[in-house]
Amino acid sequence: MSAKSAKSDQDQLTIGQLARAAGVGVETIRYYQRRALLPVPQTSSGFRTYPTALAERIRFIKRAQELGFSLDEIGHLLMLEECNDKSAIRDIAQDRLTQVRSKLADLRQMESMLSQLIHACAAASQQAQCPIIEALAHPSPDN
C-alpha cells in the first residue's frame, strides 16, 4: 500500500467511528443525512466511509442546536458558509439573538410574577385560597 493510500484510509471513518469522534449516536448521523446536513458517502468495499472532517461539521450542528437554531436554519447556515456569505450568516445570527432576548424578557416577567405569587402565598392567611392557585385559575384580563 502506498503512503498516499494509507493516508486516505486513515482519513476515513466508519459511521460508528465518526459517531464516537463527534460525540453523537449513529442514528443522529443518519438523521442528519436524511435532512441533507451531511453527505451520504459512496460505498467502498462494502462499507461506507466518512472523512474525519465530518466530525467537526457534526459538532457544529450540535452546538448550533444548543444555541436554538433549527435544523433548517443550520442547513441554511452551512449553505451560506460554503458561499462565504458572512452578511447573511450574521443576519441569521442576529435574528436568533433577537429571539433569545425576547425569551429572556419573557422569562424575567415570569420570574417576577412567580416571585410575587410565592410572596403573596406566604403572606396569605391559612383560611384564604392560595394566591398561586387563584392566579392560575383566573388569569388576568391582559393575558
Side-chain angles (χ1 to χ4, degrees), residues 18 22 24 29 32 38 54-62:
L18 178 61
V24 299
I29 293 173
Y32 289 167
L38 296 176
L54 277 185
E56 184 176 328
R57 185 177 182 125
I58 294 167
R59 286 189 294 270
F60 164 80
I61 294 168
K62 293 304 289 180

Side-chain angles (χ1 to χ4, degrees), residues 20 29-30 52 56 61 78 93 96-97 104-105 128 134 138:
R20 281 189 297 281
I29 293 173
R30 290 187 178 125
T52 57
E56 184 176 328
I61 294 168
L78 289 167
R96 170 60 49 211
L97 180 59
L104 285 170
E134 185 177 352
H138 302 97

